[in-house]
Amino acid sequence: MHDDTNLDADWALETLAIRAGHHRTHEQEHGEPIFPTSSFVYGSAAEAARKFGGEEPGNIYSRFTNPTVRTFEQRLASLEGGERCVATSSGMAAILSTVIALLSAGDEIVASRSLFGSTVSLFDKYFGKLGIVTHYVELSDLTAWEAAITPRTRLLFAETPSNPLAEVVDIAALAEIAHRRGALLAIDNCFLTPALQRPLSLGADLVIHSATKYLDGQGRTVGGAVVGRHQELEEVFGVVRTCGPCLSPFNAWVFTKGLETLSLRMRAHCDNAQMLAEWLQEHPAVTQVHYSGLPGHPQHALAGRQQLGFGAVLGFEVSGGREAAWSVIDATRMLSITGNLGDVKSTITHPATTTHGRLSDAQKEAAGIGEGLIRVSVGLEAFGDIRADLARGLDALT
Ligand SMILES: *Cc1c(COP(=O)(O)O)cnc(C)c1O
């Protein structure tokens, strides 16, 4: 029988993003349905007993079995090339569930220093309280990663490229180090998505997503996901099932529809970001641009090899510190002043006083977050309008 949703292993990513994971119901719907139901019913007491006992597959309760959530999970798993995906209520819940699932008191994490701020708080404050210690290293320095590993290290955790300086780590080399030392490698793939980087194919064991960003792509909902092998994902599933940080069916549906245009959007985001980086680099008020698509970026060659695009989050610096940076931000009329990223709307922020504001001065310096640094998440508005919006403040500085 004709089944246009039956997964074909040879399909390209663009096709999987549109077709994978939808198992059409008896209603023959063309679009993916939403199942807003907390529980599911059974034809008999015996069937209920078999499903609860795990003898028969089927839906039980939407904390851990919901068809709309499963569609998103299967679609994202196919894009990342993973055996299984577990969706979560947020990106933070994805990281929390992964660590709770796979680590115990006494275990250690080695992580890149330039992580998302809440990830650092989660590791230090909350995992610290549970007896899980995290050591931080320079993202791109493989020798430092190796040196920080101890016999208790169970997980290496990296965000690549980093935010907002776009540093990159060699994922294949880091996976080799992790496996030789008996640890797992998790990559937070939020900034590139599977359209531009597939960490599992480079040897990583787990991919973490804040679906809130590019997977949705339009700034509508909060959610997350973990992708990897059956073995580890069964443990992550157990945490979500028992502890409850599950994704709502409606949010899962939004992400499922977001994935359909992911490749197109990511390509367009990259094009705008590349043009903006090149223009900023030539602007007399700009002292430095941090974007791996520029030949002068320290990991330009590695990013070109490892990634299918350079991403669309960039940092740039102006002289004159906070006052100058704020004046550029305040001179914009279109860009949104917000910490969110990965949206079709371009956003602008001053990391030192917002996303990285909780860091001490020493931590900021180590992370390269100066007072003159501005971050832009380049959206899909016309490039000329984005440029004009930044030119107003930058021209005033010269
Ligand atoms: C936003 C973000 C997170 C956290 O995701 P939420 O969906 O906000 O919980 C984790 N990692 C990175 C890189 C992020 O940008």
Side-chain angles (χ1 to χ4, degrees):
M1 194 178 128
H2 177 78
D3 181 358
D4 51 286
T5 64
N6 199 7
L7 207 69
D8 186 321
D10 290 336
W11 278 345
L13 182 129
E14 288 82 354
T15 310
L16 291 168
I18 292 170
R19 297 283 178 176
H22 176 202
H23 306 287
R24 190 159 290 140
T25 74
H26 64 283
E27 298 288 357
Q28 296 283 81
E29 75 283 355
H30 193 204
E32 296 77 355
I34 310 180
F35 289 88
T37 178
S38 50
S39 72
F40 299 83
V41 298
Y42 312 101
S44 67
E47 185 194 336
R50 286 195 302 275
K51 290 208 168 133
F52 270 79
E55 292 155 47
E56 190 177 310
N59 298 316
I60 298 174
Y61 187 61
S62 284
R63 182 170 359 94
F64 53 100
T65 54
N66 180 280
T68 315
V69 176
R70 200 177 310 126
T71 293
F72 167 60
E73 291 173 336
Q74 291 182 355
R75 190 164 291 185
L76 183 59
S78 78
L79 299 188
E80 287 286 4
E83 291 175 0
R84 185 169 175 189
C85 168
V86 172
T88 55
S89 55
S90 66
M92 292 317 301
I95 301 171
L96 171 72
S97 303
T98 301
V99 172
I100 297 283
L102 302 173
L103 276 72
S104 305
D107 288 344
E108 295 182 358
I109 299 170
V110 180
S112 48
R113 206 188 307 282
S114 49
L115 291 180
F116 184 68
S118 296
T119 308
V120 175
S121 303
L122 176 64
F123 285 4
D124 290 348
K125 183 165 179 197
Y126 297 102
F127 294 156
K129 202 154 78 169
L130 301 178
I132 297 167
V133 173
T134 304
H135 303 286
Y136 295 95
V137 296
E138 187 63 39
L139 174 66
S140 57
D141 184 351
L142 293 169
T143 314
W145 283 93
E146 178 106 46
I149 296 174
T150 77
R152 299 178 149 209
T153 304
R154 178 92 180 97
L155 182 70
L156 307 193
F157 188 100
E159 228 172 77
T160 180
S162 73
N163 166 27
L165 301 184
E167 288 171 282
V168 178
V169 72
D170 185 333
I171 296 175
L174 196 56
E176 189 278 319
I177 292 171
H179 299 154
R180 182 158 43 73
R181 303 291 295 272
L184 296 168
L185 173 62
I187 299 290
D188 184 330
N189 204 22
C190 173
F191 288 93
L192 292 180
T193 83
L196 302 182
Q197 173 170 277
R198 307 217 306 162
L200 300 178
S201 73
L202 298 169
D205 303 286
L206 297 153
V207 167
I208 306 273
H209 273 289
S210 167
T212 316
K213 314 292 167 50
Y214 290 105
L215 301 191
D216 170 14
Q218 295 173 63
R220 297 168 291 194
T221 49
V222 173
V226 189
V227 190
R229 285 183 295 265
H230 284 299
Q231 192 189 343
E232 285 85 17
L233 267 290
E234 183 60 22
E235 300 300 320
V236 176
F237 172 71
V239 171
V240 174
R241 173 180 183 149
T242 307
C243 305
C246 53
L247 186 62
S248 90
F250 179 76
N251 288 3
W253 181 82
V254 171
F255 296 138
T256 297
K257 302 310 280 181
L259 288 179
E260 294 178 353
T261 55
L262 182 67
S263 272
L264 271 178
R265 283 188 286 109
M266 293 313 288
R267 273 199 293 271
H269 276 292
C270 290
D271 289 348
N272 265 356
Q274 183 74 36
M275 289 188 285
L276 189 66
E278 288 171 6
W279 174 75
L280 284 168
Q281 195 176 33
E282 299 302 320
H283 198 286
V286 175
T287 55
Q288 202 176 351
V289 181
H290 303 277
Y291 185 64
S292 67
L294 296 175
H297 186 278
Q299 285 108 35
H300 175 64
L302 171 61
R305 242 185 0 257
Q306 172 166 288
Q307 306 172 184
L308 286 167
F310 295 108
V313 178
L314 59 84
F316 65 95
E317 297 184 37
V318 292
S319 55
R322 180 183 302 190
E323 198 186 334
W326 281 18
S327 75
V328 173
I329 293 170
D330 289 340
T332 61
R333 292 180 199 152
M334 177 190 69
L335 267 59
S336 314
I337 304 176
T338 172
N340 196 36
L341 57 91
D343 197 310
V344 289
K345 296 187 174 81
S346 296
T347 69
I348 188 165
T349 192
H350 183 243
T353 50
T354 59
T355 54
H356 294 68
R358 279 184 293 176
L359 300 184
S360 68
D361 288 348
Q363 282 173 317
K364 275 184 212 167
E365 193 175 327
I369 310 296
E371 288 285 337
L373 179 69
I374 296 169
R375 185 192 77 189
V376 175
S377 167
V378 186
L380 300 186
E381 302 95 340
F383 171 67
D385 291 331
I386 300 172
R387 181 185 52 197
D389 215 34
L390 285 166
R392 201 174 304 110
L394 286 172
D395 291 350
L397 287 180
T398 56

